[in-house]
Amino acid sequence: MKWRFFWLSFTFLFVTAVIVVILSAFFFRQERLQLIDEQLTAVASGLLALDFRDSELDKTEEFVADVLEDHPRQFYVSIFAKNGEVLYQNNPSISFFEDHLPPLNLTHFTYESGGHQVRVLNIPVSKKDLILQLGLLIDPEEGRWRALNYRI
């Protein structure tokens, strides 16, 4: 009777602990993606305030540097024409995506390439017939190094 009670209690506690761990991992992952999406939206609003002009796309690098000065280097910025032609890519975007560009028809999504994950936001700019694409590296290892850097 004692062993039966022990195993029943142990099984109940073990199953409860497993369920709590799974639910908390799912919850924290969803919250992390939501915070990343909010950060991408904030940076996108800063870039959209620049009001890109066709004649000034060569100066986009300076504009992007001004907007992203307080943000980490793992931001990827690309500007596309509606037909998919690349008008601008910052240096990290060129080196990371190379010939494998993320799709332009989705709004918020996670894109995997070369063992890395990037959270991507596509925003159509209707006034200019452009698509602004922002990406943020979300690899767990990158986050650990950044947290360590803040502590030092």
Side-chain angles (χ1 to χ4, degrees):
M1 184 69 176
K2 290 181 183 181
W3 286 107
R4 184 176 174 191
F5 177 73
F6 168 76
W7 285 111
L8 186 64
S9 299
F10 178 76
T11 304
F12 175 76
L13 288 174
F14 180 76
V15 169
T16 303
V18 168
I19 290 172
V20 166
V21 166
I22 290 172
L23 288 176
S24 64
F26 177 76
F27 173 75
F28 286 125
R29 185 180 191 297
Q30 291 300 107
E31 287 297 311
R32 181 173 176 249
L33 288 179
Q34 184 178 358
L35 288 173
I36 289 170
D37 289 344
E38 288 174 4
Q39 186 177 15
L40 284 171
T41 304
V43 171
S45 65
L47 286 172
L48 289 173
L50 297 174
D51 191 31
F52 298 110
R53 293 177 184 83
D54 296 335
S55 62
E56 295 181 349
L57 281 176
D58 57 335
K59 297 180 184 178
T60 306
E61 186 73 37
E62 297 168 16
F63 292 145
V64 170
D66 289 342
V67 172
L68 298 180
E69 65 184 9
D70 295 334
H71 296 284
R73 293 180 41 175
Q74 64 266 20
F75 264 99
Y76 305 105
V77 180
S78 302
I79 300 172
F80 296 91
K82 286 285 185 184
N83 61 4
E85 176 188 357
V86 178
L87 301 176
Y88 169 78
Q89 284 185 302
N90 66 346
N91 290 333
S93 181
I94 292 170
S95 62
F96 182 79
F97 293 122
E98 295 176 354
D99 295 331
H100 309 289
L101 295 174
L104 298 174
N105 57 350
L106 303 172
T107 306
H108 287 280
F109 63 98
T110 303
Y111 181 77
E112 295 187 27
S113 175
H116 298 285
Q117 292 183 338
V118 175
R119 188 70 177 173
V120 178
L121 169 66
N122 289 321
I123 299 178
V125 183
S126 58
K127 294 179 184 177
K128 305 291 183 190
D129 286 334
L130 302 173
I131 298 174
L132 175 64
Q133 185 177 74
L134 291 174
L136 177 64
L137 187 67
I138 58 171
D139 286 345
E141 293 82 20
E142 184 71 27
R144 285 189 211 117
W145 284 110
R146 195 169 17 147
L148 180 64
N149 188 27
Y150 287 139
R151 290 182 183 169
I152 293 179

